[in-house]
């Protein structure tokens, strides 16, 4: 079946612009995660959605970052007023609760 | 505060030999551990996991060992193949982080030499 789909695969934006990153999880997976990987770093947890529960936003690095998940499926990560330090690969993953995560191929964000 | 640490950024191994990748953690409440493999321009893919009630789990060429007293786990790949060349991440969950929040290490780049 289809895996986790992320779009766009690459995004170049100017400093100060807003960007939206999209994630389509695997059908039937109630858990959805956003991570990011900066150059030379590990995977940094950003936010977690589980069903209709309130999301865990504890990993969002600043209030310029927000995410929503509509209808328990598609998720959008929004970064407002982008900064150069936001440049990274943003990875989305989905899973059944307590099961290993299935990752998408990520969106490479470059802020110039 | 790096709760999951992979202290070796890179490792080179000859084809056919054993690859051993190490991971240390600080939170004694972690109870579920996973290894992921990542190729360039792709997302990480799940390899193998282990629960804290076990000290070993094997799947084909891949074996994960868990030493809870040392807060250490390792991934053994035998025999290593050139296609195993990738970045390997360990991850942990459980305890106060919540059973759902997976904390990842910084990764080890494995190169298997033909």
């Amino acid at each position: 079946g289809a895996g986790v789909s992320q779009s766009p695969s690459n995004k170049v934006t100017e400093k100060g612009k807003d960007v939206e990153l999209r994630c389509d999880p695997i059908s039937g997976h109630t858990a959805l995660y956003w991570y990011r990987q900066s150059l030379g770093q590990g995977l940094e947890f950003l936010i977690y959605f589980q069903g209709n529960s309130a999301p865990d936003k504890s990993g969002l690095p600043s209030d310029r970052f927000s995410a929503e998940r509509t209808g328990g499926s598609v998720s959008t990560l929004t970064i407002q007023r982008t900064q150069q330090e936001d440049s990274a690969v943003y990875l989305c993953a989905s899973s059944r609760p307590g099961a290993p995560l299935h990752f998408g191929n990520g969106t490479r964000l470059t802020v110039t | 505060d790096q709760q999951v640490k992979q202290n070796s950024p890179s490792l080179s191994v000859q084809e056919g030999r054993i690859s051993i990748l190490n991971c240390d953690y600080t939170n004694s409440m972690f109870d579920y551990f996973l290894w992921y493999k990542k190729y360039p321009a792709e997302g990480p893919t799940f390899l193998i996991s282990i629960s804290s009630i076990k000290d070993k789990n094997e799947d084909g060429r891949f074996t994960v060992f868990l030493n809870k007293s040392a807060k250490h786990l390792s991934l053994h790949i035998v025999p290593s193949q050139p296609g195993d060349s990738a970045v390997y991440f360990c991850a942990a969950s459980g305890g106060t982080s919540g059973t759902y929040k997976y904390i990842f290490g910084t990764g080890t780049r494995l190169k298997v030499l033909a």
Side-chain angles (χ1 to χ4, degrees):
Chain A
V4 176
S5 177
Q6 290 188 246
S7 60
S9 55
N10 282 284
K11 176 73 177 179
V12 180
T13 190
E14 291 180 352
K15 177 182 172 181
K17 300 283 189 183
D18 298 352
V19 295
E20 283 189 354
L21 312 180
R22 178 186 167 103
C23 173
D24 281 277
I26 293 172
S27 177
H29 282 190
T30 57
L32 187 146
Y33 301 74
W34 284 96
Y35 284 82
R36 75 175 174 181
Q37 185 180 17
S38 303
L39 191 62
Q41 302 297 312
L43 301 178
E44 177 188 4
F45 170 82
L46 296 178
I47 189 169
Y48 162 79
F49 297 89
Q50 171 55 49
N52 295 322
S53 302
D56 178 346
K57 305 179 182 180
S58 61
L60 295 178
S62 78
D63 58 9
R64 296 186 294 104
F65 288 72
S66 63
E68 63 178 23
R69 188 178 185 191
T70 52
S73 182
V74 171
S75 176
T76 302
L77 177 69
T78 301
I79 309 173
Q80 295 179 310
R81 305 180 302 282
T82 52
Q83 303 295 312
Q84 288 187 329
E85 61 262 29
D86 300 334
S87 296
V89 176
Y90 289 81
L91 291 158
C92 176
S94 69
S95 77
R96 293 191 169 84
L101 308 185
H102 296 258
F103 282 89
N105 286 335
T107 294
R108 180 175 296 277
L109 175 66
T110 303
V111 182
T112 61
Chain B
D1 177 27
Q2 191 72 26
Q3 296 188 67
V4 178
K5 302 176 185 178
Q6 294 177 256
N7 292 318
S8 297
S10 64
L11 174 68
S12 291
V13 172
Q14 283 294 132
E15 180 179 7
R17 306 294 289 269
I18 184 171
S19 295
I20 300 177
L21 297 105
N22 293 304
C23 179
D24 297 291
Y25 60 95
T26 58
N27 188 339
S28 59
M29 297 300 290
F30 285 147
D31 57 11
Y32 185 51
F33 306 88
L34 310 90
W35 284 94
Y36 281 80
K37 178 166 79 171
K38 186 181 184 302
Y39 293 120
E42 294 183 10
T45 55
F46 170 71
L47 261 182
I48 192 169
S49 65
I50 188 167
S51 160
S52 60
I53 62 173
K54 291 185 168 185
D55 54 18
K56 176 183 175 181
N57 189 26
E58 193 170 354
D59 183 1
R61 297 186 297 113
F62 302 91
T63 303
V64 57
F65 295 92
L66 176 62
N67 182 333
K68 289 185 289 293
S69 62
K71 298 193 187 68
H72 177 83
L73 64 156
S74 61
L75 174 68
H76 292 209
I77 307 173
V78 182
S80 301
Q81 300 172 354
D84 297 329
S85 297
V87 177
Y88 289 78
F89 291 97
C90 65
S93 71
T96 56
S97 293
T99 55
Y100 54 78
K101 187 186 289 185
Y102 294 92
I103 308 297
F104 283 79
T106 52
T108 296
R109 182 178 302 277
L110 173 66
K111 187 170 185 179
V112 180
L113 307 169

